Amino acid sequence: PSTLPPSRKILSSHCLTLSDFHTAQLRFTDGAAAAETPDGKCLITTPNMSFIPEPVNGSIAVTRRWDGYFGHHDPVRWPQLCINHSRLLWLMAVPRKPEDPSDPRTPIWRALSTEDFTVLPNSFVKKFCVVSGARQAELKPLVDKMLTRARVFEQKCGIILEFQSLVDSLQQAFDRLDYPSTKLNLIVQFACVQRYWLLADAWLEFNVHLYGYYSFSDPQTRERKSLRTDLMGAFTENPDVVQNMFKKGVPVWLLRDPEQLRGDEVLKYVDICRPDFSQDCGPFLPDPIYIGWAGKNHLFAIAQHANSYMGTDMIPFVDTPLQPVFSAAAETSASVQPVREPGPNQAPVPSTRRS
């Protein structure tokens, strides 16, 4: 129709008929799903996913959210822009929240609630507290198993500083959960335990299981299907990255000019999926830790500020509700579900180079 923007016209002309859907042999340039950005200037296609998440791009302001993370700008919460030859490539392997609620890894995605703090009986004014023993007990087996994996890896492959720093940060953040502090500090430290577990797991998955840069007998066994819907995946503008990720079965979304659709086929046009988790700042001040272009700089800013410990003299001691305004439960979800509310945005993902 003449009312469609140029990108939609081009996209429509490449859509397969319904009868072609099950017989199509997709290439890396084809689209199992495709969507256009709101300005119509960019087309997003994916050869192996049925949905298109909202990309993080352009000028952004990164702020800490109610759960200690950084919203959809955070690489452990949302797919980011994968820059080829970057030190951040391995973020594509960040695990997603398991669909099975009985999965033993589930506590890694469960945020703190107001009942998860134990206030010190002798702290009358500032109400210092620690994370409850029950919540620490949920995380301890996961932390211990990751430390075991790290020791086994080191025995076979030696010390790799990038991975070792993630493991050290994980153990140190977990130890701080029992250090009397303010609720705000404990929210950040609790999120750090989850973050560094996710990052350490992603580093091993990328370097050992996906690309085989290192080899060791990983004590952590799990089912790995040909299509890795259990991994975060990434956006990219580079066709060689799409080829590589498509071959490995990692979720990938290609940002391209609409006119680059030549002989490519698209199975369906979809709306862009927006984050299904709260972006509310909760008890944290809405001051950005980074303002600028999305990409490696905003990811390094998150890495720099994620583990920041706030001095107690600088923190207001108010009992602000931790739950986001429109969230029913304190759950940190890394899932991407169609929300039927298209919107703009696009970004990247730490990396690795074999030492």
Side-chain angles (χ1 to χ4, degrees), residues 49 79 83 85 124 126 132 173-174 177 203-204 254 280 295 298 307 309 337 341 351:
M49 290 287 105
I83 302 173
H85 308 302
F124 302 106
K126 295 189 175 181
S132 70
F174 181 77
L177 298 183
W203 194 97
L204 287 175
L254 175 61
D280 188 80
H298 100 260
N307 203 21
Y309 195 89
Q337 299 295 332
E341 188 180 352
S351 112

Side-chain angles (χ1 to χ4, degrees), residues 1-15 35-41 43 258 269-271:
S2 58
T3 56
L4 290 177
S7 61
R8 182 77 69 84
K9 290 179 184 177
I10 294 173
L11 184 60
S12 298
S13 67
H14 286 266
C15 280
E36 63 178 354
T37 53
D39 57 13
K41 295 180 179 179
L43 189 64
Y269 177 83
V270 300
D271 292 332

Side-chain angles (χ1 to χ4, degrees), residues 48-70:
N48 58 8
M49 290 287 105
S50 61
F51 62 92
I52 307 288
E54 181 180 23
V56 181
N57 64 347
S59 180
I60 63 173
V62 180
T63 56
R64 195 183 295 276
R65 308 300 179 176
W66 69 277
D67 54 2
Y69 290 88
F70 297 91

Side-chain angles (χ1 to χ4, degrees), residues 55-344:
V56 181
N57 64 347
S59 180
I60 63 173
V62 180
T63 56
R64 195 183 295 276
R65 308 300 179 176
W66 69 277
D67 54 2
Y69 290 88
F70 297 91
H72 71 302
H73 299 132
D74 200 319
V76 300
R77 301 219 59 195
W78 198 253
Q80 304 294 314
L81 185 63
C82 176
I83 302 173
N84 202 14
H85 308 302
S86 165
R87 290 190 57 241
L88 308 177
L89 283 175
W90 56 266
L91 282 179
M92 70 173 72
V94 168
R96 289 179 179 269
K97 180 182 177 181
E99 295 182 0
D100 182 2
S102 64
D103 191 297
R105 297 173 298 163
T106 300
I108 291 296
W109 288 271
R110 187 178 299 129
L112 285 176
S113 67
T114 51
E115 294 77 30
D116 293 327
F117 299 95
T118 301
V119 179
L120 271 62
N122 60 339
S123 184
F124 302 106
V125 179
K126 295 189 175 181
K127 297 183 179 179
F128 287 126
C129 50
V130 296
V131 173
S132 70
R135 292 309 304 271
Q136 291 190 49
E138 279 187 345
L139 289 178
K140 191 175 189 314
L142 291 163
V143 173
D144 289 344
K145 288 180 180 179
M146 183 59 71
L147 297 180
T148 298
R149 296 176 72 188
R151 284 193 295 270
V152 175
F153 176 85
E154 181 182 335
Q155 291 170 1
K156 179 66 184 295
C157 305
I159 296 178
I160 307 301
L161 293 180
E162 185 174 46
F163 177 59
Q164 190 60 48
S165 67
L166 296 173
V167 175
D168 289 344
S169 296
L170 168 65
Q171 184 171 24
Q172 292 167 7
F174 181 77
D175 291 343
R176 287 193 295 269
L177 298 183
D178 204 40
Y179 178 72
S181 187
T182 62
K183 290 183 178 179
L184 266 66
N185 264 325
L186 289 175
I187 294 171
V188 172
Q189 299 312 310
F190 193 85
C192 280
V193 176
Q194 298 171 317
R195 172 186 301 280
Y196 288 119
W197 189 96
L198 290 167
L199 293 178
D201 187 83
W203 194 97
L204 287 175
E205 190 65 33
F206 180 92
N207 288 284
V208 176
H209 300 289
L210 278 177
Y211 288 92
Y213 296 141
Y214 303 96
S215 177
F216 83 115
S217 181
D218 193 346
Q220 176 65 52
T221 58
R222 72 177 67 147
E223 182 183 7
R224 292 179 172 87
K225 299 180 180 179
S226 56
L227 181 57
R228 300 300 305 273
T229 55
D230 59 318
L231 302 183
M232 185 68 70
F235 289 90
T236 184
E237 297 174 340
N238 299 324
D240 54 336
V241 174
V242 178
Q243 288 175 298
N244 202 303
M245 293 179 65
F246 185 40
K247 182 179 179 181
K248 298 293 184 181
V250 179
V252 60
W253 296 272
L254 175 61
L255 295 160
R256 59 204 294 188
D257 190 291
E259 296 184 11
Q260 289 179 307
L261 269 182
R262 288 207 317 171
D264 307 329
E265 297 174 324
V266 175
L267 296 186
K268 61 178 178 177
Y269 177 83
V270 300
D271 292 332
I272 287 179
C273 300
R274 302 191 67 185
D276 64 343
F277 47 81
S278 173
Q279 302 269 31
D280 188 80
C281 290
F284 295 98
L285 296 176
D287 298 336
I289 64 161
Y290 173 85
I291 299 177
W293 294 107
K296 66 178 183 180
N297 289 337
H298 100 260
L299 295 172
F300 284 126
I302 288 177
Q304 181 180 5
H305 289 84
N307 203 21
S308 58
Y309 195 89
M310 296 169 282
T312 56
D313 291 338
M314 302 171 61
I315 302 176
F317 298 97
V318 293
D319 288 328
T320 306
L322 300 184
Q323 300 301 326
V325 176
F326 53 88
S327 178
E331 289 287 334
T332 299
S333 171
S335 62
V336 183
Q337 299 295 332
V339 183
R340 299 302 180 195
E341 188 180 352

